[in-house]
Amino acid sequence: KPEERGGRKMGVRCEEQEVRLVILDVHGVVLDPSKLIKNAHTAARRVGLSRSRLGRYIRALERGERIARSSIGESFEDAWPRTPPEKKDIFVRCFREEMRRTPCRLIEGSAKMIHWFLDRGVKVVFCSGGERELLEYNLNFVGRGLHGLPLITVADGVKPDPRFLERVFQVVS
């Protein structure tokens, strides 16, 4: 039964179950991933890597033929196998610079949805395979009260490993 605060019922029910926690991925749910893709193409151009190869890799991800990797470096290795590690380091640096220069935009309605849950006493946690520093920078950039909400990243575990949830429960306890 939802508790009352200040004369207002708190809580959300879904199929007769009380919802106390919502776990959201960041890219594609809260932040529009199109800038992420554009920034990867810009970094590839700056480093002299094949953007058509990157395009094929991204399309394979979108079709579900590949599984997204948990770091920029691992994604690089999937997109450009057998490329020298020095190029990977340069690409990762360029990609991070681009992400700071032109961060991802908020998906329309996502902040409103998140605040709808928060206003009803439901905890919201962001989970992402992205890098914590870039995600925090991006969430701070978009504002709307999203920066500072719990954020679980690849540094805390690997998605989709269910042990990832252990870290979520530690954060919200």
Side-chain angles (χ1 to χ4, degrees), residues 2-130:
E3 60 182 280
E4 290 191 26
R5 291 190 195 139
R8 198 167 103 200
K9 283 190 175 182
M10 301 299 288
V12 174
R13 298 189 75 71
C14 179
E15 296 187 15
E16 301 306 313
Q17 298 291 318
E18 183 179 2
V19 177
R20 292 187 248 162
L21 170 67
V22 174
I23 301 169
L24 299 173
D25 196 353
V26 178
H27 292 107
V29 176
V30 180
L31 299 176
D32 181 350
S34 62
K35 279 283 192 204
L36 185 135
I37 294 167
K38 180 182 176 290
N39 290 338
H41 278 280
T42 301
R45 181 182 44 76
R46 286 176 57 192
V47 178
L49 296 166
S50 166
R51 290 186 297 159
S52 62
R53 178 172 247 150
L54 175 61
R56 286 191 301 274
Y57 172 71
I58 290 169
R59 285 189 297 282
L61 287 172
E62 291 169 344
R63 290 189 303 263
E65 296 167 2
R66 303 290 303 249
I67 294 175
R69 300 298 295 264
S70 55
S71 75
I72 299 164
E74 289 176 345
S75 295
F76 175 92
E77 291 166 3
D78 281 353
W80 297 283
R82 297 178 302 280
T83 301
E86 309 81 52
K87 279 227 178 194
K88 176 175 85 171
D89 295 341
I90 296 167
F91 173 83
V92 169
R93 188 185 75 243
C94 289
F95 177 78
R96 288 176 178 148
E97 289 170 3
E98 291 301 320
M99 287 300 293
R100 283 183 185 80
R101 188 179 341 227
T102 56
C104 296
R105 302 240 185 277
L106 197 62
I107 292 176
E108 187 175 336
S110 62
K112 185 176 180 179
M113 171 196 63
I114 291 164
H115 287 289
W116 186 88
F117 281 112
L118 293 171
D119 291 346
R120 286 157 181 79
V122 177
K123 294 178 181 177
V124 175
V125 176
F126 296 134
C127 290
S128 178

